[in-house]
Amino acid sequence: MRKLRSNEVFKPGSFPKYTYVSRKSSGFGFTYETRLKQALNTPGYLTSIIGPSKTGKTVLCEKVIEPQNMVSLTGSDFKNAKDFWEVVANKVGLPLEGEYSETTVLKGTDNSPEDKSFSTREKYGSNKDKVIEFFKKSNLVLVLDDFHYAPEEVQLDIAYQLKDAIRREFKAVVISLPHRADDAIRKNPDLSGRLNLINIEPWQEDELKEIAITGFEQLGIKISDELASKMALESLTSPQLMQSICLNLSLILNIDENESIKEINDEKKLEESYRFTTINLPYQEVVKKLMAGPSTRGQERKKYQLKNGEKADIYHILLKAIAQNPPVVSLSVDEMKERIDQLLVINSKEKIEKNKIRDSLQKLHDIMFSSEPIYQVFEWKDNQIFILDPLFLFFLRWATY
Ligand SMILES: Nc1ncnc2c1ncn2[C@@H]1O[C@H](COP(=O)(O)OP(=O)(O)O)[C@@H](O)[C@H]1O
Ligand SMILES: [Mg+2]
């Protein structure tokens, strides 16, 4: 038996105890952990962490803040909330304002021999005072995760509540996605000058590789640098995707049961694990919708002859081009043109011109951004495609649809 099982080492959905990678935040030379620790040690300041989805914001807090000191709430906990402090008090089990009562008994006297009991409502200050007091006494940190899930007016109220609380040395971290969602905090004039800002940047290839290398090492297996690089490239910028690929590769190789495996160097198995990893990704409908393109009102769209024998319309071809090697987070219109020319038969009279590429990408953009958030997988801006969701690109490259 191996000392650890692969699902203890690779944790795509939770805290990666054995594969935690400590990263440096660029320009500072300090690790994110050091920065968060320092931020929490600055009395009177609020900490704001922003970064794209699934880049390790929650995991960072779990690494730095002791579990017994971390009080975690998410934006959606405040959806129907009237009072911010009431929600926090509830979370830590503090009795709420007005609920606390005590019975006082007055002993009987000679004049009135019966005992009298009074139910008195003790005033312990507001919920806010109680919570702040309790947090300070017990050295607690409030982590407001996924703040963007709180309704906008609630976000502003929370910012207002926190402003006064942090002055009284209440410790809080607010986590949100970049753009808009963090405005209530970062662009709030009341909070300016009292914020610690931590921006989680995209993961680099070396940092992603470390997950695979240290993880397999923990399992007593050596993975070649070349394969680890390939996996990092596929993961694009997502540590979660890297964790999933590693876990699925372990399953496919059956390494938990087969102790004789000491090394991984089989690229075929790697590709099998990519395909396996796409099974649980929710992009089937997204691809379908994008492939269909805008409505043609029943008219047949023009089809082009591809080198591989297929015929495909422009939207199909655009997605194929995005899926080509190497996987990258952004593509210019020239790069798209090049990729498309590679796909089409060489002497085809019907070239696809850049203008057509631009127009069609704009149409895809409009489809995505008038649909639910799950459909917003890339954007078309300033003549460039920007992949917003690395898992989507991975799906596009490896899934069958
Ligand atoms: N520092 C890290 N080292 C290794 N894996 C990580 C790290 N940070 C995140 N991950 C992986 O990514 C997943 C998502 O991280 P999470 O903190 O939940 O993202 P976010 O809160 O930014 O959405 C984790 O469950 C873990 O698999
Ligand atoms: Mg999170």
Side-chain angles (χ1 to χ4, degrees):
M1 278 278 284
R2 295 188 192 274
K3 278 207 297 288
L4 291 164
R5 293 186 67 82
S6 50
N7 66 4
E8 294 172 277
V9 172
F10 298 116
K11 295 273 187 186
S14 54
F15 186 79
K17 182 175 167 199
Y18 296 102
T19 44
Y20 185 90
V21 176
S22 175
R23 306 163 63 211
K24 284 221 169 73
S25 79
S26 77
F28 294 96
F30 297 109
T31 62
Y32 285 108
E33 296 84 53
T34 305
R35 290 194 57 208
L36 181 54
K37 266 184 216 144
Q38 189 240 355
L40 291 170
N41 265 320
T42 317
Y45 273 61
L46 178 69
T47 304
S48 157
I49 301 180
I50 64 170
S53 182
K54 301 292 165 216
T55 49
K57 303 183 293 298
T58 302
V59 157
L60 173 65
C61 290
E62 288 170 339
K63 178 76 179 176
V64 170
I65 306 168
E66 296 292 328
Q68 69 272 19
N69 297 336
M70 176 159 153
V71 177
S72 189
L73 283 163
T74 91
S76 46
D77 291 328
F78 297 92
K79 279 226 162 97
N80 307 308
K82 277 188 229 77
D83 177 27
F84 173 75
W85 297 105
E86 193 177 307
V87 178
V88 183
N90 263 327
K91 177 76 184 183
V92 291
L94 276 179
L96 291 176
E97 153 85 319
E99 273 183 5
Y100 190 87
S101 69
E102 201 169 46
T103 307
T104 315
V105 179
L106 278 182
K107 280 276 168 217
T109 60
D110 287 344
N111 285 346
S112 68
E114 270 173 34
D115 290 353
K116 283 189 183 133
S117 71
F118 297 93
S119 181
T120 50
R121 227 172 218 193
E122 289 275 335
K123 204 68 176 136
Y124 273 97
S126 63
N127 285 329
K128 176 173 179 174
D129 294 333
K130 270 194 287 186
V131 169
I132 294 176
E133 207 43 45
F134 183 74
F135 268 62
K136 284 172 67 177
K137 194 179 71 202
S138 327
N139 197 19
L140 300 180
V141 182
L142 178 69
V143 176
L144 264 183
D145 208 343
D146 294 329
F147 186 61
H148 47 275
Y149 287 140
E152 258 168 69
E153 39 334 322
V154 178
Q155 293 181 7
L156 282 173
D157 179 56
I158 294 178
Y160 179 77
Q161 296 298 332
L162 288 175
K163 169 197 158 194
D164 184 48
I166 54 169
R167 208 203 296 268
R168 292 157 65 182
E169 306 201 356
F170 176 78
K171 289 186 182 177
V173 178
V174 178
I175 301 177
S176 60
L177 294 176
H179 315 306
R180 260 168 297 151
D182 53 309
D183 283 5
I185 301 292
R186 294 204 174 189
K187 299 212 178 117
N188 194 320
D190 288 338
L191 289 169
S192 74
R194 294 206 265 126
L195 288 176
N196 282 308
L197 307 177
I198 300 178
N199 295 347
I200 308 286
E201 284 141 65
W203 281 61
Q204 306 289 323
E205 187 183 324
D206 278 352
E207 298 163 338
L208 292 165
K209 266 169 80 173
E210 207 176 316
I211 294 176
I213 292 170
T214 53
F216 283 112
E217 202 174 84
Q218 301 272 355
L219 294 165
I221 296 171
K222 195 176 158 19
I223 182 161
S224 73
D225 197 70
E226 197 195 334
L227 282 205
S229 291
K230 288 208 158 115
M231 292 160 84
L233 192 69
E234 285 303 332
S235 307
L236 221 56
T237 54
S238 168
Q240 191 195 29
L241 190 48
M242 186 52 142
Q243 297 268 1
S244 293
I245 293 172
C246 290
L247 181 58
N248 287 325
L249 182 60
S250 307
L251 282 177
I252 281 175
L253 295 170
N254 197 23
I255 63 169
D256 289 331
E257 314 305 328
N258 187 346
E259 257 200 277
S260 64
I261 299 177
K262 299 269 182 266
E263 209 182 339
I264 301 178
N265 46 24
D266 183 347
E267 203 174 334
K268 281 266 157 344
K269 292 285 180 199
L270 199 54
E271 294 189 356
E272 210 178 304
S273 76
Y274 296 155
R275 284 190 285 274
F276 193 59
T277 304
T278 64
I279 292 175
N280 294 309
L281 296 177
Y283 300 107
Q284 207 73 40
E285 289 303 313
V286 178
V287 172
K288 214 160 135 194
K289 189 164 185 157
L290 296 180
M291 287 257 198
S295 161
T296 57
R297 298 196 187 81
Q299 279 195 334
E300 179 105 20
R301 210 172 259 135
K302 180 178 171 59
K303 292 229 162 100
Y304 301 85
Q305 184 65 54
L306 306 186
K307 275 184 191 151
N308 70 359
E310 288 174 35
K311 284 188 143 203
D313 71 15
I314 177 74
Y315 295 101
H316 205 129
I317 292 174
L318 287 175
L319 291 178
K320 264 190 190 296
I322 294 172
Q324 293 303 297
N325 278 326
V328 285
V329 281
S330 72
L331 284 160
S332 67
V333 72
D334 292 315
E335 288 166 319
M336 279 299 281
K337 169 89 174 123
E338 228 168 87
R339 284 181 172 207
I340 289 172
D341 288 344
Q342 286 290 317
L343 288 168
L344 296 175
V345 285
I346 301 157
N347 56 4
S348 160
K349 286 171 282 174
E350 299 157 326
K351 284 276 179 216
I352 300 181
E353 297 306 331
K354 274 191 214 164
N355 261 339
K356 169 112 183 157
I357 297 173
R358 282 197 198 97
D359 286 351
S360 310
L361 282 169
Q362 183 61 50
K363 291 202 173 96
L364 284 182
H365 179 100
D366 296 342
I367 292 174
M368 291 185 280
F369 285 83
S370 55
S371 309
E372 291 106 83
I374 178 86
Y375 289 94
Q376 293 156 20
V377 290
F378 66 84
E379 62 180 343
W380 168 246
K381 207 171 86 184
D382 308 329
N383 270 322
Q384 291 247 336
I385 290 174
F386 295 98
I387 302 288
L388 299 175
D389 186 346
L391 272 68
F392 166 77
L393 180 58
F394 181 77
F395 183 89
L396 201 58
R397 286 170 59 73
W398 296 102
T400 27
Y401 40 81

